Every structure is written in structure tokens, then in C-alpha cells.
């Protein structure tokens, strides 16, 4: 006597259940429908309310306003801009200003962060205390507080342009900002840049060739003399052949202000200072944690293989520390970019300040403008996190996990 | 027999004493081993000492030695004495920096709120003290409500019954509106009949709900007519909620405990209502536009802390949910708020949110900022909580399932308590950044500590060369005390949690 095999459940129903409810089954389907209904209801409320409110305020929805004349000036522009340009151009100007302050802030904060991290790791007791004080002080004060401090208190306390502080006679700091020599292109600029580019490409090619030779044939090729000659020699030859690529125009004090040179507005100086010192404190902690995360046996193993201290650091410790450092470091870069939006508090013309601030108050197109502004930041952070997940995937692959 | 001593060397006298080893402990040892042990280190020590000399000494001189301590206006801080901090300016501006423009006669309410918060928070932070559940409940649920009525003032006109009825009616009106809109649309649309059917269906549902909730709304209207509407409503709510608790708790068999705690809760609520006179108007209303200074900073950060945690837990659970729509929604929500700067969130809450609400429904400026901050911080807390959830071994959930616990019981009794305990340091770190980020509300025209400070700089009565530095020093010390205290506390908890991992 044998029991009959149970029939498998109907596959189509199972599949439908799976598609609609995931692993949670019919319960999941019910919850999903309820959730979708609530979301739909909220969306309906938002859209109908927004439409009614916009009608009451006589504002036309849509992105047509971007082609209207802006009619206000911006005190720092990387591309030519006048008051008669469109709001779209204002958007681009603001975006470029955001990018420039972020990039410069990232460079400075990385340098300062590594220095502070080295201070904190130093065997010297006093220096490590100094690093610790710096980190604790900076991390426990709000960024906006620091920006306002630099802008309102420190920069405003600087002397006026006539008594400005001179740095080697090249740059001048005053309460009107920083005046630096500005480079002016000469006819020799184009060949110089071309040769520089060729040099960079050539050295990259050399590097990949030598690495392949090392990995496949075990052959060690010394490439640094060639790289040096490529990077320095080619542009130098171009300079000799076509003349000086650019000259610096030095700022001169004339009357009450400076003539010549380029002026960096005080808002930019304050924002860069605050952003880089603030982020440097966080970067210092990340770098310190990364270096401490490498087991000290690694260093000893390197020494027992006969590697010098520098080689051990370069080939064994730093690559392993970098694996721990890079993801949170990128996060800090992202934070710095997002924090640069605090520029609005001191009037530096970044994206939020000129677009979500001035343009919004002039046009009243709140929905479109804020959506665009948020979209830009969202795009930056999503792209960065996508790159980071690729990086994480490569790391885990190279670990052979 | 050979003489051993002749062929091999045997020492005949004692070895001379070696000098004592260099001291490596204590202050001198520290000097020797960590400061002056090599030329490089000596150089570094000198650099460090110079750095400290040029920062600490001028700061101390500015804040204490050269400071001006008494005076009535700017003349005290000008001239000979201009080198140091101008503390009379802080004295004069102290009320503004603490309370903003909160009316002077009502400031005891603010102080009482601060005192209540401290009295509830401190026992919660000390691990040794008992009754954490009750304490947390009071701080996270009772305190915000009490603080609201204390700080803002005003009373209530109804209780649970009226609120439920009002909410349901709002929901029903919206459904009827949507149905009506669809019916209107169906007249001019290509797929008119389909829209008409859906519209009719929605209207039908709306009408049905209207009939269903009619007993509630009718009762509410009856109560509004009587003089003692709050207390009648309160009594009905107490009876209904207590009965529900009784039956959910297991009826006659085991529901007595639930019944008792429900009645006790309502008794406490009644006492609070009576004490604060909420049934007949409560305290005089102080508009939030008058609030300012440290009060706003603390209100924003405490509200952010209290509201962001439930939002974060819900989002983290949603992100791990097996139901696709909820998971996708949670991921999108979290990534969206984490991807944009807080200042754009505040702009969103200030300029965009009012457009999304019904025209007759205006939201206070402070509340709008609070909504923005709660959503923003909630997304960050969700990622923290998710880290804790991921750290709980699968076996815990499986064991709970084997015991026959439902998903809710598994989550609330087994998984969440462990997960949250894991991530307390991360949560506290988020609270520190939240506290620092509250300074951003000064950009959307709220006067928090930093905003009040900036406003006080504009006073010509106190414009001296040292005013700015004094103000920043004062505000900086306040911010530093709060943030540093929180970060030390998180270190303390972290060490406690990892106690088993030491050695």
C-alpha cells in the first residue's frame, strides 16, 4: 500500500503571489495594496493642493522661467555672466561655484587631515596632544558656527587693503579678500599644454608596461628617469621652442584698492578655511583609524622579509590601510560638498545661495527650483556611492573572498 | 690532577654595579621617552610647544586675564581695556541668547521645561538606575506633550474621541473629494466611463465610511454642546481604551494588569491636565516667533532626537522587509534624504511644504523646520539601526520563530532590543551631529543660539572691536559643552558594551 504523491501547488498562482507579495505571501500582497493606496492618496493630496495653491498665488508651474532674465549680479563667476543672462545661466554659475569651493576644500582638507593624523599617531607626546585638541575642538563645534566665526570675526578683523598683509610681496590678505598673482596666457601656452599632456600619457603607458613586465616576466624595469624626462623635459623643450607659456601679473596697490592680479572674495576664503579645517578633523580620525587597523605583525613580517621600513610602509601597510580609509574618506568628501551649501549664510554665491536663494525669491518657483537643487546634490551623491560600490566590489574580489 | 682554575677563567671578584636603568615612568620618564628621546623628537616637541604657546596663551589672556567683567554699555570695553573679552555684553544679552524674545513673565515655563528634561534625561543616561522602561516612556512620550503645552501654552477642547472623529472625517472628506474630482474629469476624458465607474466607487466607499463613523462624529457634536466637553470626552476615552487594553491583555484571565496600567496612565494624564489647566485654556499662548536662543536649539534637537528614532527604526525595518514595495520605498526614502544637504531640506520644508498642504492649513515656521529635520535625521538613524539589525545573528530570529512568536513579537522583543543596544554609540554620534546641525535653522529665519548671537552683534549699543570674539567664545563654549559631553557619553557606553572584548 502506497500513499499517493502530493500534487505540487499550481505554479501560476505561486508565481503571481511571488511577484505581488515577495516572500511574504498573500499577507504581503494585502500590505502592498494598502501601502500603495496610502501613497496614492498622499500623492493625490499633494498634487491637488499644490495645484490649488499655485493657482491662488498666480504662479505658472513648469520650467519656462529658466529662460527669463535673472536681472541680478553675482560677485564671483567662473564663466562670463551679466545681470541680463537667464536663470539657467545662474544655475550653471552657482553649480560651478559650488564645485570649485568643494574641490579646493577637498584638497586642503585632505592635506591638513593627513598632517593632523600623523601628529596624532606621532610618538611625540606633546604633538599627539596638540592633534587631539585640534580634533576635539573642531569636531564639537557646529560648522556654521565656524564659517561665521571665520567670516564675521577673523576676516573682518583684518586690516583694510591699504595696510594689507603681504605674503612675500606676491599675495595680499585684507578684509576685502585675498589678492593673488593671476596667470596670463602667452602664445607658447598651447604647445606647452600639448607637450605636458603627451608627457603624462607617455608616463602612464610606461608605468603599465613596466608593471606588466614585472607581473608576467618578473623583470624589474626602472622607469623613473624616463618618466621624469617625459614630464619635465617635454614641456621644457616646448618652452624653449615656442617661448614662455604664461606670465604672472602681480597685484599692485593703487589708491584704495589693488590693480592687477585676481581677487578672491572673502566669502570664498572664509568658506574654504572653515570647510577644510572642519573636514580635516574628521579625515584625521579616519586616517588614524585606518593606519591603526593594520596589524603590527604586518610591519614585522615585512621587516623579517628584509624590506626596508619605507618599502614595507609603501607596499604592505598603506595598501591595507587604504582599504579601510577610502570608503569613509569618500563619505567625508561628499559631506564637504554638501556642507558647502552653508555658503548661503555668508553670501558666497554657490548653488543654494544664488539659485535656491535669490532666484527663488525673485521667481517664486519653489517646487521647480528646490527640486533642481536637491536633484544636483542627489545626483552627485548617487554617482559617488555607485563608484564606491564598484570600488568595494573590486576590493572584495582582489581579497579573493 | 689538573688545576681547573688554571685552564679556564673563573672570576674571583664581584662585578661592578651597573648604573640604575633610565627612568621610564612618571613625569621625568615621560619627558625622556616621549618628548626628548631623539633630535627629531626634540624638534617636534619644540614645534608643538610653540603651537600651544601661540594659541592657548592668547586665548586665556583674551578670555580671562585681559577681559572686562563689569560695565553698562560699550564704553566699558573700548579704549584701554579693548584687548580682552567684553563679558558685560554677554551679561546684557544673556536673556536673548537663552530665551530669545520669550516674554519675561513667562520665562519660568522655559526653566521648568529645562528642569523636567534634565530630571528625566539624567536617570536615563546612568546605567545603574532602575525603571528604564518607565523612564524612557516618560521622556519619549509624556515629556514632549507636556513641554509643548508648557512652552507654547494654550489648552485642549477635546480628547481622544474628538481627535479620532476629526481625523477620520478629514480622511473621509479627502476620499469624497478625490471621487468628486474623478467624476468631474470623466465628463471631458477619453476614458470617461472607466473614470466614472472608479469615481462612483470611490464616492460610494467615502459615503460608506461616513455612515460608519457617524456614531463617533455625532457623539463628538453632542459633547461639544455640553459645558464639560473635555472631561466627558476624557472619561469616554479612558473607558474605551482601558476596555480595549483589558481584552487585548487576555480578558478576565490575565487582562487585569493591562487594565490597571491603562487606568494609571489615564489618571496621570488627568492630573497633568488639571495641574496645567488645559481644560480651560491652559497657559497664555507664546507664539513660536518669539522663541529664540538656546531654547530653540534645544527644542529643535530634542524634537529631532525623539522623532527621528521611531522614523529610523521604521525605515530600517522597512528596508529589511520581504515585501518589495515597502523595501523599495524605504530604500528610496533613505537614499533621498541622505543624498541632499540639510539646508536644502530646510528650504524644502520652508518654501515647498506649505504648497503641498491645503490652503487653509498654515504650519508654524518652527514646526516646518522640525518636520524637515525629523525626516532628514530619521534617514540617517535608519542606516544606524540597520547596522545594528545586521549585527544580530540569524539564529535569534529563527529561535523566536521556532518558539512560535509572530513577526511583531520577534522584532519588538528579541531583535530590536539587542540591535538598539549595539548601536547606542552610533545613535549618540548622530545626535551630536543633529545638535550641531540645529544651527542651520538660523538660515531659515529662526533665531536659535547662533541666530540670536548674530542678531545681537547688530546692536550698536555694544559694538566694540571685541564684541564678535566674545560672542563667538560664549556660544562656542555652550556648543562645545553639549557636544563634548555627548561624545564622552558615547565613548563610555561603547566601552561598557565592549567590556567582554577587552584583553
Amino acid at each position: 500500500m502506497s500513499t499517493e504523491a502530493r500534487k505540487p501547488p499550481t505554479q501560476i498562482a505561486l508565481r503571481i503571489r511571488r511577484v505581488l507579495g515577495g516572500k511574504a505571501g498573500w499577507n504581503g500582497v494585502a500590505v502592498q495594496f494598502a501601502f500603495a493606496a496610502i501613497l496614492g492618496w498622499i500623492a493625490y493630496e499633494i498634487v491637488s493642493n499644490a495645484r490649488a495653491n499655485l493657482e491662488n498665488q498666480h504662479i505658472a508651474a513648469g520650467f519656462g522661467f529658466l529662460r527669463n532674465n535673472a536681472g541680478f549680479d553675482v560677485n564671483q563667476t567662473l564663466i562670463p555672466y551679466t545681470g541680463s543672462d537667464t536663470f539657467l545661466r545662474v544655475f550653471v554659475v552657482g553649480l560651478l561655484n559650488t564645485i570649485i569651493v568643494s574641490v579646493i576644500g577637498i584638497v586642503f582638507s585632505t592635506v591638513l587631515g593627513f598632517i593632523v593624523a600623523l601628529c596624532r599617531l606621532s610618538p611625540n607626546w606633546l604633538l599627539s596632544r596638540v592633534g587631539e585638541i585640534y580634533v576635539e575642538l573642531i569636531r564639537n563645534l557646529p560648522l556654521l558656527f565656524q564659517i561665521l566665526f571665520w567670516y564675521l570675526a577673523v576676516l573682518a578683523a583684518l586690516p583694510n587693503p591699504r595696510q594689507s598683509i603681504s605674503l612675500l610681496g606676491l599675495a595680499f590678505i585684507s578684509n576685502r579678500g585675498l589678492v593673488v598673482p593671476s596667470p596670463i596666457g602667452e602664445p607658447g601656452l598651447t604647445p606647452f599644454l600639448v607637450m605636458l599632456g603627451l608627457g603624462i600619457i607617455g608616463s602612464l603607458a610606461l608605468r603599465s608596461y613596466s608593471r606588466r613586465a614585472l607581473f608576467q616576466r618578473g623583470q624589474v624595469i626602472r622607469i623613473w628617469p624616463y618618466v621624469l624626462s617625459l614630464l619635465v623635459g617635454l614641456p621644457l623643450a616646448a618652452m624653449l621652442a615656442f617661448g614662455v607659456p604664461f606670465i604672472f601679473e602681480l597685484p599692485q596697490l593703487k589708491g584704495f584698492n589693488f590693480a592687477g592680479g585676481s581677487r578672491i572674495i572673502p566669502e570664498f576664503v572664509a568658506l574654504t578655511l572653515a570647510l577644510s579645517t572642519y573636514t580635516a578633523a574628521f579625515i584625521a580620525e579616519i586616517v588614524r583609524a585606518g593606519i591603526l587597523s593594520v596589524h603590527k605583525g604586518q610591519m614585522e613580517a615585512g621587516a623579517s622579509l628584509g624590506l626596508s621600513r619605507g618599502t614595507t610602509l609603501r607596499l604592505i601597510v598603506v595598501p591595507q590601510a587604504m582599504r579601510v580609509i577610502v570608503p569613509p574618506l569618500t563619505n567625508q568628501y561628499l559631506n564637504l560638498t554638501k556642507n558647502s551649501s552653508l555658503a548661503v549664510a555668508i553670501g558666497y554665491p554657490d548653488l543654494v545661495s544664488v539659485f535656491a536663494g535669490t532666484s527663488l525669491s525673485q521667481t517664486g518657483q519653489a517646487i521647480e527650483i528646490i527640486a533642481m537643487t536637491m536633484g544636483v546634490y542627489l545626483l552627485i551623491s548617487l554617482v559617488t556611492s555607485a563608484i564606491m560600490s564598484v570600488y568595494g566590489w573590486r576590493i572584495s574580489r582582489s581579497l579573493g573572498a | 690532577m689538573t688545576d681547573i682554575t688554571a685552564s679556564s677563567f673563573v672570576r674571583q671578584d664581584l662585578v661592578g654595579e651597573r648604573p640604575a636603568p633610565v627612568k621610564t615612568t612618571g613625569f621625568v620618564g615621560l619627558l625622556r621617552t616621549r618628548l626628548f628621546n631623539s633630535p627629531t623628537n626634540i624638534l617636534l616637541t619644540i614645534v608643538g610647544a610653540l603651537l600651544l604657546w601661540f594659541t592657548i596663551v592668547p586665548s586665556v589672556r583674551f578670555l580671562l586675564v585681559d577681559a572686562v567683567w563689569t560695565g553698562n554699555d560699550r564704553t566699558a570695553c573700548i579704549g584701554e581695556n579693548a584687548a580682552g573679552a567684553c563679558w558685560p555684553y554677554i551679561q546684557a544679552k544673556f536673556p536673548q541668547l537663552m530665551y530669545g524674545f520669550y516674554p519675561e513673565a513667562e520665562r519660568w515655563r522655559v526653566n521648568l521645561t529645562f528642569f523636567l528634561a534634565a530630571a528625566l534625561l539624567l536617570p536615563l543616561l546612568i546605567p545603574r538606575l532602575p525603571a528604564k522602561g518607565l523612564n524612557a516612556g516618560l521622556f519619549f512620550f509624556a515629556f514632549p506633550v507636556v513641554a509643548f503645552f508648557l512652552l507654547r501654552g494654550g489648552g485642549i477642547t477635546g480628547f481622544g474621541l474628538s481627535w479620532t472623529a476629526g481625523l477620520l472625517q478629514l480622511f473621509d472628506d479627502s476620499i469624497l473629494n478625490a471621487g468628486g474630482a474623478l467624476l468631474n474629469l470623466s465628463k471631458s476624458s477619453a476614458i470617461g466611463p472607466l473614470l466614472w465607474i472608479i469615481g462612483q466607487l470611490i464616492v460610494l466607499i467615502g459615503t460608506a465610511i461616513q455612515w460608519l463613523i457617524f456614531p463617533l462624529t455625532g457623539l463628538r457634536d453632542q459633547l461639544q454642546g455640553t459645558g464639560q466637553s473635555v472631561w466627558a470626552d476624557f472619561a469616554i476615552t479612558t473607558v474605551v481604551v482601558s476596555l480595549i487594553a483589558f481584552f487585548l491583555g487576555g480578558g478576565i484571565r490575565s487582562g487585569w494588569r493591562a487594565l490597571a496600567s491603562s487606568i494609571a496612565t489615564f489618571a496621570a494624564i488627568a492630573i497633568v491636565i488639571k495641574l496645567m489647566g488645559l481644560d480651560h485654556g491652559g497657559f497664555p499662548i507664546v507664539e513660536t516667533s518669539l522663541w529664540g536662543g538656546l531654547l530653540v536649539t534645544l527644542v529643535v534637537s530634542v524634537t529631532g532626537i525623539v522623532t527621528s528614532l521611531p522614523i529610523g527604526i521604521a525605515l530600517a525595518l522597512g528596508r529589511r522587509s520581504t515585501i518589495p514595495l515597502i523595501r523599495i520605498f524605504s530604500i528610496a526614502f533613505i537614499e533621498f534624504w541622505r543624498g541632499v544637504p540639510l539646508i536644502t531640506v530646510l528650504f524644502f520644508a520652508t518654501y515647498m511644504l506649505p504648497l503641498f498642504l491645503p490652503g487653509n492649513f498654515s504650519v508654524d515656521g518652527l514646526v516646518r523646520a522640525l518636520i524637515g529635520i525629523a525626516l532628514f535625521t530619521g534617514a540617517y538613524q535608519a542606516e544606524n539601526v540597520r547596522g545594528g539589525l545586521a549585527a544580530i545573528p540569524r539564529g535569534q530570529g529563527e529561535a523566536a520563530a521556532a518558539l512560535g512568536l509572530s513577526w511583531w513579537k520577534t522584532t519588538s522583543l528579541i531583535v530590536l532590543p539587542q540591535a538598539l543596544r549595539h548601536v547606542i554609540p552610533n545613535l549618540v554620534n548622530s545626535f551630536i551631529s543633529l545638535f550641531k546641525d540645529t544651527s542651520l535653522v538660523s538660515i531659515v529665519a529662526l533665531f536659535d543660539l547662533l541666530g540670536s548671537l548674530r542678531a545681537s552683534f547688530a546692536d550698536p549699543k555694544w559694538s566694540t572691536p571685541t564684541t564678535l570674539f566674545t560672542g563667538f567664545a560664549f556660544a562656542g563654549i555652550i556648543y562645545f559643552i553639549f557636544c563634548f559631553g555627548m561624545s564622552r557619553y558615547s565613548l563610555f557606553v561603547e566601552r561598557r558594551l565592549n567590556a567582554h572584548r577587552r584583553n
Side-chain angles (χ1 to χ4, degrees):
Chain A
M1 180 182 146
S2 66
T3 52
E4 259 180 47
R6 263 200 310 171
K7 271 189 194 163
T10 341
Q11 291 297 311
I12 298 173
L14 205 69
R15 197 162 294 164
I16 290 175
R17 200 174 78 171
R18 186 71 194 227
V19 166
L20 290 178
K23 279 184 197 157
W26 294 117
N27 268 348
V29 178
V31 172
Q32 279 201 95
F33 269 104
F35 192 66
I38 292 174
L39 279 189
W41 176 63
I42 291 175
Y44 164 76
E45 279 288 304
I46 285 178
V47 171
S48 69
N49 285 334
R51 191 175 287 166
N53 284 326
L54 287 180
E55 230 161 65
N56 281 343
Q57 296 173 13
H58 304 291
I59 298 172
F63 290 93
F65 75 96
L66 284 175
R67 283 189 294 278
N68 295 350
N69 278 355
F72 59 87
D73 273 321
V74 176
N75 60 356
Q76 178 191 308
T77 54
L78 296 180
I79 53 172
Y81 169 85
T82 59
S84 57
D85 277 318
T86 59
F87 281 110
L88 188 63
R89 204 166 175 85
V90 172
F91 174 75
V92 178
V93 165
L95 184 57
L96 287 176
N97 281 340
T98 293
I99 290 174
I100 185 95
V101 80
S102 311
V103 170
I104 292 181
I106 284 173
V107 172
F108 281 135
S109 64
T110 312
V111 173
L112 190 59
F114 273 80
I115 292 175
V116 175
L118 290 182
C119 280
R120 288 208 64 183
L121 289 169
S122 153
N124 188 301
W125 182 83
L126 194 64
L127 211 57
S128 70
R129 282 300 93 83
V130 171
E132 198 179 329
I133 291 174
Y134 173 83
V135 168
E136 288 296 343
L137 190 68
I138 296 283
R139 283 206 313 177
N140 286 320
L141 290 175
L143 176 60
L144 187 61
F145 173 90
Q146 297 183 32
I147 292 177
L148 289 180
F149 175 74
W150 287 113
Y151 184 64
L152 292 178
V154 177
L155 286 191
L158 288 174
N160 58 16
R162 284 182 67 87
Q163 282 118 30
S164 59
I165 303 161
S166 153
L167 303 174
L168 304 174
L170 294 174
F172 298 89
I173 303 176
S174 67
N175 57 7
R176 303 279 292 277
L178 180 68
V179 188
V180 293
S182 61
I184 295 175
E186 294 279 303
L189 184 63
T190 327
F192 177 80
L193 288 181
V194 169
M195 283 300 154
L196 194 65
L198 280 180
I200 291 173
I201 294 171
S203 23
L204 285 179
L206 257 180
R207 181 169 177 271
S208 86
Y209 169 73
S210 76
R211 283 183 81 84
R212 200 172 308 148
L214 177 67
F215 291 150
Q216 290 180 350
R217 302 195 297 278
Q219 185 185 5
V220 180
I221 306 175
R222 202 158 53 143
I223 57 163
W224 66 263
Y226 307 108
V227 168
L228 204 67
S229 65
L230 272 178
L231 282 184
V232 179
L234 277 183
L236 214 65
M239 254 170 86
L240 289 177
F242 296 95
V244 194
F246 46 77
I247 54 168
F248 281 104
E249 188 193 28
L250 292 181
Q252 300 284 328
L253 187 64
K254 287 210 177 119
F256 289 101
N257 219 330
F258 285 96
S262 41
R263 194 171 77 90
I264 299 173
I265 55 175
E267 289 84 9
F268 182 87
V269 178
L271 191 64
T272 318
L273 257 174
L275 280 177
S276 30
T277 48
Y278 183 77
T279 316
F282 290 86
I283 290 180
E285 284 297 276
I286 289 168
V287 172
R288 190 176 81 103
I291 290 178
L292 287 181
S293 77
V294 180
H295 200 268
K296 103 179 168 203
Q298 299 282 330
M299 195 81 195
E300 292 163 0
S304 72
L305 285 175
L307 299 179
S308 75
R309 191 184 147 82
T311 322
T312 320
L313 274 178
R314 193 162 56 83
L315 295 180
I316 294 174
V317 177
V318 169
Q320 297 185 64
M322 277 324 247
R323 201 170 288 154
V324 182
I325 290 173
V326 167
L329 191 65
T330 334
N331 225 345
Q332 285 306 324
Y333 291 163
L334 215 53
N335 273 349
L336 189 145
T337 312
K338 287 193 273 176
N339 283 336
S340 71
S341 58
L342 292 183
V344 68
I346 55 172
Y348 172 75
D350 83 320
L351 181 61
V352 173
S353 175
V354 294
F355 197 61
T358 320
S359 302
L360 173 61
S361 60
Q362 288 210 354
T363 60
Q365 304 275 358
I367 297 179
E368 294 86 353
I369 284 181
I370 290 177
M372 276 174 81
T373 315
M374 282 181 150
V376 167
Y377 286 102
L378 201 59
L379 194 71
I380 294 175
S381 66
L382 287 184
V383 167
T384 316
S385 60
I387 294 173
M388 279 325 292
S389 58
V390 171
Y391 174 81
W393 173 75
R394 277 193 54 180
I395 287 285
S396 65
R397 196 186 55 168
S398 74
L399 276 176
Chain B
M1 184 179 166
T2 53
D3 189 3
I4 297 171
T5 50
S7 66
S8 58
F9 173 77
V10 173
R11 186 185 275 280
Q12 301 289 319
D13 49 351
L14 287 173
V15 183
E17 273 178 13
R18 279 201 281 173
V22 176
K23 201 175 171 198
T24 56
T25 56
F27 180 66
V28 179
L30 179 87
L31 286 184
R32 218 172 253 147
T33 52
R34 310 268 322 257
L35 290 176
F36 298 106
N37 54 342
S38 71
T40 344
N41 239 354
I42 292 175
L43 200 70
L44 289 178
T45 307
I46 292 172
V47 170
L50 281 179
L51 273 177
L52 282 183
W53 183 260
F54 282 113
T55 50
I56 302 273
V57 173
S59 312
V60 172
R61 280 185 69 94
F62 178 81
L63 292 178
L64 300 173
V65 180
D66 291 344
V68 181
W69 296 93
T70 50
N72 291 320
D73 57 1
R74 63 195 288 264
T75 48
C77 305
I78 287 188
E80 299 282 292
N81 315 319
C86 183
W87 293 120
Y89 152 72
I90 295 294
Q91 262 163 30
K93 294 291 175 187
F94 189 75
Q96 192 188 341
L97 293 179
M98 289 297 123
Y99 310 104
F101 297 105
Y102 209 91
E104 211 166 337
E106 306 289 334
R107 279 183 193 153
W108 63 270
R109 280 155 57 179
V110 180
N111 294 337
L112 181 63
T113 317
F114 285 167
F115 172 76
L116 276 180
L120 285 174
L121 192 60
L122 279 181
L124 200 60
L125 296 182
I126 300 172
R128 231 178 308 157
L129 294 182
K132 282 279 180 291
L134 178 68
N135 201 337
L138 282 177
F139 183 72
F140 283 102
F141 298 105
F143 172 68
V145 178
V146 173
F148 172 79
F149 284 112
L150 256 180
L151 290 176
R152 186 180 164 276
I156 47 176
T157 53
F159 203 69
L161 180 87
S162 312
W163 296 337
T164 322
L167 209 66
L168 285 176
Q169 200 168 27
L170 205 72
F171 178 66
D172 192 45
D173 286 350
S174 166
I175 292 179
L176 285 174
N177 263 338
L182 272 183
L183 285 183
N184 269 338
L185 206 66
S186 70
K187 283 173 198 152
S188 58
S189 170
I191 49 166
L194 182 68
L195 286 183
W196 187 83
I197 292 172
I198 298 176
Q200 284 294 354
L201 209 66
I202 291 178
V203 170
L204 202 69
I205 294 173
T207 320
I209 293 178
Q210 202 171 22
W211 282 109
L212 267 178
I213 64 173
F214 179 72
L216 269 180
T217 45
L219 193 56
R220 178 193 57 179
D221 295 341
Q222 287 291 320
L223 283 180
Q224 295 293 351
T226 66
Q228 287 287 323
S229 64
V230 174
W231 290 111
D233 193 339
F234 182 82
I236 295 174
T237 314
T238 310
V239 170
V240 171
V241 173
S242 300
L243 279 182
I244 291 175
F246 179 61
F247 285 113
L248 281 185
I252 300 172
R253 204 153 40 82
S254 60
W256 301 106
R257 204 187 150 90
L259 184 68
S261 59
S262 163
I263 289 176
T265 312
F266 276 102
I269 295 175
I271 292 172
V272 169
I273 291 180
K274 195 73 207 167
L275 268 182
M276 293 171 64
L278 295 183
D279 51 336
H280 43 260
F283 297 117
I285 290 182
V286 180
E287 292 297 332
T288 53
S289 53
L290 296 177
W291 301 14
L294 190 63
L295 169 65
V296 166
T297 298
L298 288 178
V299 164
V300 173
S301 47
V302 171
T303 319
I305 289 170
V306 170
T307 51
S308 70
L309 204 53
I311 295 178
I313 292 174
L315 284 173
L317 291 175
R319 198 168 178 166
R320 287 165 62 90
S321 162
T322 49
I323 300 167
L325 191 61
I326 289 186
R327 191 174 59 236
I328 293 169
F329 174 80
S330 304
I331 292 177
F333 195 88
I334 293 172
E335 292 304 324
F336 176 75
W337 293 111
R338 277 163 50 91
V340 296
L342 178 57
I343 187 66
T344 59
V345 175
L346 289 175
F347 272 63
F348 162 85
T350 315
Y351 298 115
M352 226 158 131
L353 208 57
L355 290 177
F356 291 161
L357 296 170
N360 52 2
F361 195 78
S362 79
V363 184
D364 186 89
L366 183 63
V367 177
R368 275 181 282 181
L370 286 178
I371 293 173
I373 285 183
L375 295 176
F376 182 79
T377 320
Y380 278 86
Q381 296 295 33
E383 286 302 275
N384 285 336
V385 175
R386 191 166 74 106
L389 290 176
I392 304 299
R394 281 179 77 90
Q396 297 284 328
E398 285 163 2
L403 287 174
L405 297 186
S406 68
W407 183 85
W408 288 104
K409 282 194 168 161
T410 312
T411 307
S412 62
L413 297 177
I414 312 282
V415 177
L416 263 187
Q418 299 185 60
L420 287 182
R421 199 165 301 152
H422 260 288
V423 291
I424 289 177
N426 298 5
L427 295 178
V428 177
N429 282 343
S430 286
F431 294 152
I432 296 176
S433 17
L434 170 63
F435 186 81
K436 289 192 288 177
D437 283 343
T438 55
S439 57
L440 266 64
V441 297
S442 65
I443 296 177
V444 287
L446 292 172
F447 288 95
D448 73 323
L449 180 56
L450 200 56
S452 302
L453 183 73
R454 213 176 165 178
S456 76
F457 288 153
D459 187 355
K461 194 183 164 198
W462 286 103
S463 90
T464 69
T466 54
T467 302
L468 287 160
F469 285 99
T470 313
F472 276 115
F474 178 72
I477 289 170
I478 292 183
Y479 276 118
F480 187 82
I481 289 174
F482 275 96
C483 296
F484 191 71
M486 280 194 271
S487 77
R488 288 294 115 168
Y489 181 73
S490 109
L491 272 184
F492 160 72
V493 173
E494 202 172 344
R495 210 163 295 150
R496 235 178 99 82
L497 288 176
N498 290 338
H500 62 283
R501 250 181 248 158
R502 246 178 286 160
N503 307 323

